[in-house]
């Protein structure tokens, strides 16, 4: 008894610095038991990857962990194969990891990847050519647990890097109804004819095409088929809410939005990056904002975006001019403002424009009321048959 108590005291002392308790099972394999009194938070494991700290949910206290990793292994659903020639266990990730995440897995000068291989005792190959991308990342290890452990760590890196990759899709309400297109086409034509000039810094490329006008609800990063399926299922959840809040045409209330006014995102009309058509606030708009809130919440709960990314989505607007679409090269000879000239020379810098003239004439423009047709998840790059962004899935207003 004395020996047992002494051993436990030594173990507790070791755990206070390493936060682990090593036990050797009948097979000789080391595993780790984590006693409840040393857990910082119930059901959470802390792990380091590439110098970063990750909070890892665990199944329960006392679950078996890898002696080196300290992570729960659940590799039953992974297609890990044994190479008879090398004697190594091999896992090919294929398109499970998108190329957009490679740089985060590799890290600066390969530091993250090297540390990952060292920590897990594996060899990890990342694609260098387009053809190799079909195979994807390949993990090799001397035992199956090491391979699963490396895969788990890669999953953590991807999850923590999602906010760093570009958006691919967005949830929107298209404004491509025929009743509005004639008016917006005429408006854009007038603006290009009368306000495109070197002095105003307004270029034709910064105009949105009328058939692509929309109200953005939330931006998304959907890099896998699973993400796309989840987005479709989430949008479907919004359908019942939409039907409850927006009764059909048999009701005295219809789904018409009042588009009124030209506005800018900042206070200085001579230095503008975004100009948009405003939405008049009325009973319908208030109901529409409820739909925006509900839809945003569902996509956050589905893990497809963060709550921070939905903070400004209640400011409904249809962007008509945006300097991030600019395709002309800034010419220092026509940029009179020195500060703006320096910004224009910087890589990816946005050259603002002077919207004073447009606001003087169109600030109170009224394009009337128009019936909304659908709510949809669309790609950001591809164009559909109607000229609007290609739709992944959609639900219709009553």
């Amino acid at each position: 008894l004395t020996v047992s108590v002494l051993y436990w005291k030594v173990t507790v002392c070791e755990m206070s610095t390493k936060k682990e308790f090593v036990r050797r099972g009948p097979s000789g394999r080391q595993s780790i038991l984590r006693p409840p009194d040393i857990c910082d938070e119930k059901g959470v494991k802390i792990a380091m990857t590439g110098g970063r700290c990750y909070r890892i949910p665990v199944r329960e206290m006392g679950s078996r962990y890898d002696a080196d990793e300290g992570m729960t292994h659940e590799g039953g659903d992974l297609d890990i194969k044994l190479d008879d020639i090398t004697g190594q266990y091999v896992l090919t990730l294929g398109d499970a990891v998108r190329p957009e995440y490679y740089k985060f897995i590799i890290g600066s000068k390969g530091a993250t990847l090297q540390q990952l291989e060292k920590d897990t005792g594996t060899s990890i190959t990342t694609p260098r050519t387009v053809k190799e991308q079909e195979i994807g990342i390949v993990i090799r290890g001397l035992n199956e647990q090491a391979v699963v452990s490396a895969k788990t760590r890669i999953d953590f890196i991807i999850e923590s890097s999602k906010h760093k990759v570009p958006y691919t899709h967005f949830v929107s309400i298209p404004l491509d109804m025929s009743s509005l297109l004639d008016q917006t086409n005429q408006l854009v034509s007038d603006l290009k004819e009368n306000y495109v000039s070197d002095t105003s810094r307004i270029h034709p490329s910064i105009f949105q095409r009328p058939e692509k006008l929309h109200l953005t609800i939330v931006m998304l990063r959907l890099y896998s088929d699973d993400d796309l399926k989840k987005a479709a299922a989430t949008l479907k959840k919004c359908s019942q809410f939409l039907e409850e809040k927006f009764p059909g045409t048999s009701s005295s209330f219809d789904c018409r939005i009042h588009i009124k006014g030209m506005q800018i995102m900042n206070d200085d009309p001579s230095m503008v990056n975004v100009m948009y058509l405003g939405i008049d606030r009325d009973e319908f708009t208030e109901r529409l904002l409820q739909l925006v809130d509900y839809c945003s919440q569902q996509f956050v709960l589905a893990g497809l975006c963060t709550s921070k990314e939905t903070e400004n989505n209640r400011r409904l607007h249809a962007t008509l001019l945006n300097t991030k679409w600019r395709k002309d090269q800034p010419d220092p000879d026509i940029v009179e403002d020195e500060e703006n000239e320096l910004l224009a020379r910087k890589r990816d810098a946005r050259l603002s424009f002077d919207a004073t003239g447009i606001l003087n004439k169109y600030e109170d423009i009224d394009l009337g009321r128009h019936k909304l047709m659908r709510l949809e998840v669309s790609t950001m790059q591809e164009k559909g048959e109607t000229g609007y962004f290609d739709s992944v899935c959609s639900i219709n207003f009553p």
Side-chain angles (χ1 to χ4, degrees):
L1 178 62
T2 304
V3 174
S4 298
V5 171
L6 179 61
Y7 177 73
W8 177 248
K9 286 182 178 180
V10 172
T11 304
V12 172
C13 179
E14 292 175 351
M15 286 190 296
S16 66
T17 58
K18 296 184 178 180
K19 291 192 177 181
E20 61 185 30
F21 174 46
V22 179
R23 181 184 69 182
R24 189 175 296 278
S27 63
R29 175 178 293 172
Q30 288 186 344
S31 59
I32 293 174
L33 295 180
R34 176 184 274 264
D37 60 326
I38 66 167
C39 287
D40 298 326
E41 184 178 343
K42 186 175 180 180
V44 173
K45 176 81 172 71
I46 306 300
M48 297 295 295
T49 299
R52 294 180 180 269
C53 184
Y54 298 92
R55 300 169 72 256
I56 309 166
V58 298
R59 287 176 294 182
E60 59 181 320
M61 298 305 172
S63 296
R64 185 172 61 78
Y65 293 84
D66 179 84
D68 297 321
E69 286 296 314
M71 297 182 186
T72 303
H73 293 307
E74 299 189 38
D77 58 342
L78 297 177
D79 187 20
I80 302 176
K81 299 178 180 179
L82 178 62
D83 189 328
D84 295 332
I85 299 177
T86 64
Q88 292 181 319
Y89 288 86
V90 182
L91 174 62
T92 302
L93 299 184
D95 58 2
V97 178
R98 298 286 300 179
E100 289 79 8
Y101 292 105
Y102 290 165
K103 62 181 179 180
F104 303 108
I105 296 170
I106 296 171
S108 177
K109 298 181 180 180
T112 303
L113 184 61
Q114 292 172 16
Q115 187 65 45
L116 182 56
E117 291 177 322
K118 180 180 178 181
D119 291 345
T120 59
T122 59
S123 172
I124 303 173
T125 305
T126 56
R128 295 184 178 181
T129 65
V130 175
K131 187 175 182 180
E132 289 179 352
Q133 287 182 8
E134 297 177 2
I135 301 174
I137 293 176
V138 179
I139 306 173
R140 295 178 175 85
L142 294 177
N143 59 72
E144 193 171 349
Q145 279 191 325
V147 173
V148 175
S149 185
K151 170 62 167 61
T152 303
R153 293 277 284 269
I154 288 175
D155 289 341
F156 295 149
I157 294 174
I158 293 173
E159 192 64 31
S160 65
S161 304
K162 281 188 174 180
H163 68 285
K164 300 176 183 177
V165 298
Y167 292 111
T168 60
H169 298 72
F170 65 106
V171 183
S172 70
I173 299 175
L175 299 178
D176 57 354
M177 58 284 286
S178 57
S179 61
L180 180 62
L181 273 177
D182 291 341
Q183 297 183 70
T184 51
N185 272 311
Q186 184 61 52
L187 174 61
V188 170
S189 178
D190 291 345
L191 293 176
K192 288 182 177 181
E193 181 179 351
N194 298 308
Y195 297 97
V196 170
S197 68
D198 293 340
T199 53
S200 67
R201 304 183 298 279
I202 297 178
H203 188 269
S205 61
I206 69 174
F207 285 84
Q208 178 65 284
R209 294 177 180 174
E211 63 270 19
K212 285 190 172 183
L213 283 175
H214 62 274
L215 306 178
T216 301
I217 307 301
V218 63
M219 302 298 295
L220 303 172
R221 298 178 177 89
L222 308 179
Y223 280 96
S224 69
D225 291 339
D226 287 341
D227 286 341
L228 289 171
K229 292 176 182 177
K230 192 182 295 184
T234 303
L235 188 66
K236 190 175 181 179
K237 288 182 180 179
C238 302
S239 179
Q240 183 177 355
F241 184 89
L242 187 149
E243 292 174 359
E244 292 174 355
K245 292 294 179 180
F246 300 90
T249 54
S250 60
S251 169
S252 59
F253 178 83
D254 62 9
C255 306
R256 294 184 181 275
I257 192 169
H258 189 188
I259 301 175
K260 182 179 180 180
M262 288 275 282
Q263 302 174 37
I264 58 177
M265 287 289 186
N266 61 310
D267 297 327
D268 186 355
S270 66
M271 299 284 287
V272 176
N273 282 315
V274 177
M275 194 169 199
Y276 59 91
L277 292 170
I279 307 300
D280 195 31
R281 298 294 289 267
D282 54 20
E283 181 188 358
F284 173 76
T285 308
E286 294 304 320
R287 295 197 189 191
L288 187 61
L289 288 174
Q290 293 179 38
L291 174 64
V292 170
D293 291 339
Y294 181 82
C295 188
S296 301
Q297 181 186 35
Q298 293 304 311
F299 277 89
V300 170
L301 292 175
L304 297 174
C305 63
T306 64
S307 56
K308 186 176 182 180
E309 291 174 310
T310 66
E311 287 179 352
N312 299 318
N313 62 357
R314 297 185 102 249
R315 188 176 182 178
L316 295 177
H317 63 278
T319 301
L320 193 61
L321 292 88
N322 195 328
T323 57
K324 75 177 182 180
W325 303 326
R326 186 185 292 277
K327 296 180 180 179
D328 63 323
Q329 295 297 323
D331 186 345
D333 294 333
I334 64 171
V335 182
E336 298 177 0
D337 182 57
E338 292 183 1
E339 182 180 355
N340 202 32
E341 176 186 340
L342 292 175
L343 289 174
R345 288 180 175 275
K346 290 183 179 180
R347 182 182 179 185
D348 297 329
R350 295 171 69 168
L351 179 62
S352 61
F353 64 91
D354 187 350
T356 305
I358 297 178
L359 286 175
N360 287 340
K361 183 174 181 179
Y362 295 98
E363 184 174 11
D364 298 321
I365 187 173
D366 192 337
L367 298 182
R369 302 180 67 88
H370 303 272
K371 188 179 185 306
L372 299 181
M373 305 303 293
R374 64 195 188 278
L375 175 69
E376 71 177 48
V377 176
S378 306
T379 63
M380 292 188 63
Q381 304 300 330
E382 299 178 11
K383 186 171 67 172
E385 295 179 359
T386 63
Y388 190 70
F389 301 91
D390 193 25
S391 174
V392 174
C393 54
S394 65
I395 55 177
N396 295 326
F397 279 85

